[in-house]
Amino acid sequence: MPSATETRSTIINRAQSRPLARGRFTGSGLPTTPIHSDRLNSALESRTEVTYGYNPLELARYGQYMQISEQNPKLLNGLAVTHQIDVAHGTLVENPDALARVSVPPAVTFVANRELAKNILQSLDPARSAIVEGPTRALSPAGARVQIVNYEDDFYRIRYSAAAECLLRIAVPYFPGWTAAVDGRAAEVLPVDYALSGVIVPAGEHEVTFRYRSGWLTIGGVISGMTAIIVIGLVLLPIFPGSVFSRRSR
């Protein structure tokens, strides 16, 4: 995440773990003047989502997105941020142009790779269009409506209505482990606007689930389980000398 000496302007969103009936996520953003290092992760205490903070494992795409946003502030709107922190005056400044956390872009540009997507970021206005890395497809966002039914740290439930196939842009950093399903059927998660996530969904009224599952967590669980079995076997070996373990060792 950005260091304490950076002076860019960013935004945060209030984390919510309960169902949402209406309204927009609220928040504020990275100070426009330096702040003390012990405040960089203060949002963890208030469970407030921010675009700043200290993280030694910052995602490369996200970090580059934030760097480019210094020259193109409109990119901040694509992060669904709603307020900026004005440290000089101790106030929150509302961002009226913030997009919804899940939105349907009016237009989509398809590109072949991440470098082409990164180049377009310099002039991208997320309110007008989106960049998708993948083969060109005919999409139509006209009349599409989106509602976030439930949101937790690593899980979204989204309902939408669309007259034709369209793109759902989700203001979550693109990273392996995020999976999507439309009415329970797996859907591909695509890199959108270089650093964010998106899902191309079919026409009609459907429910989308967007969930993070770490592959390393599954591998770690398997290894832990195998280790536990071995340890239990070694503990039981002297207790039951006539066991299978003992007979095979003779």
Side-chain angles (χ1 to χ4, degrees):
M1 290 293 182
S3 67
T5 59
E6 290 180 304
T7 58
R8 71 171 81 115
S9 174
T10 59
I11 311 293
I12 64 178
N13 284 312
R14 179 72 58 187
Q16 300 193 22
S17 58
R18 58 183 182 278
L20 301 174
R22 65 180 66 180
R24 176 179 289 182
F25 293 90
T26 60
S28 63
L30 183 77
T32 55
T33 57
I35 56 178
H36 197 272
S37 59
D38 64 356
R39 297 295 182 184
L40 284 175
N41 285 329
S42 60
L44 294 174
E45 300 176 0
S46 60
R47 293 186 58 80
T48 302
E49 291 181 302
V50 301
T51 59
Y52 64 89
Y54 172 72
N55 184 352
L57 300 177
E58 180 182 65
L59 302 181
R61 285 181 180 246
Y62 178 79
Q64 292 165 359
Y65 185 98
M66 294 306 301
Q67 289 177 2
I68 297 174
S69 72
E70 296 179 5
Q71 286 74 47
N72 181 11
K74 290 182 179 180
L75 293 180
L76 297 177
N77 299 331
L79 293 176
V81 295
T82 58
H83 293 75
Q84 293 181 339
I85 298 177
D86 185 343
V87 176
H89 299 89
T91 59
L92 291 178
V93 181
E94 185 175 1
N95 175 28
D97 298 322
L99 299 176
R101 186 176 291 250
V102 181
S103 60
V104 179
V108 177
T109 299
F110 289 89
V111 296
N113 54 60
R114 61 187 294 175
E115 287 305 315
L116 292 175
K118 182 179 177 182
N119 292 337
I120 299 176
L121 282 184
Q122 299 287 349
S123 58
L124 179 69
D125 182 353
R128 295 179 176 272
S129 64
I131 314 165
V132 175
E133 297 170 38
T136 301
R137 298 172 63 169
L139 304 179
S140 177
R145 294 177 298 171
V146 180
Q147 177 189 15
I148 299 178
V149 179
N150 189 42
Y151 158 61
E152 298 177 5
D153 293 340
D154 57 359
F155 176 77
Y156 291 77
R157 178 175 286 110
I158 305 159
R159 289 177 185 164
Y160 76 92
S161 174
E165 190 176 53
C166 63
L167 171 70
L168 296 186
R169 174 173 50 200
I170 306 172
V172 170
Y174 177 76
F175 187 74
W178 283 102
T179 61
V182 179
D183 296 336
R185 296 184 178 181
E188 184 179 8
V189 177
L190 299 168
V192 174
D193 296 349
Y194 184 71
L196 306 182
S197 304
V199 182
I200 294 179
V201 295
E205 296 184 1
H206 303 278
E207 182 174 280
V208 177
T209 53
F210 187 63
R211 184 192 309 270
Y212 180 76
R213 289 175 176 158
S214 173
W216 290 108
L217 182 62
T218 302
I219 295 174
V222 172
I223 294 175
S224 297
M226 294 176 63
T227 302
I229 293 174
I230 294 173
V231 170
I232 292 174
L234 293 175
V235 171
L236 295 179
L237 184 59
I239 299 177
F240 301 98
S243 65
V244 174
F245 299 102
S246 296
R247 291 197 297 271
R248 288 183 177 178
S249 62
R250 291 173 182 174

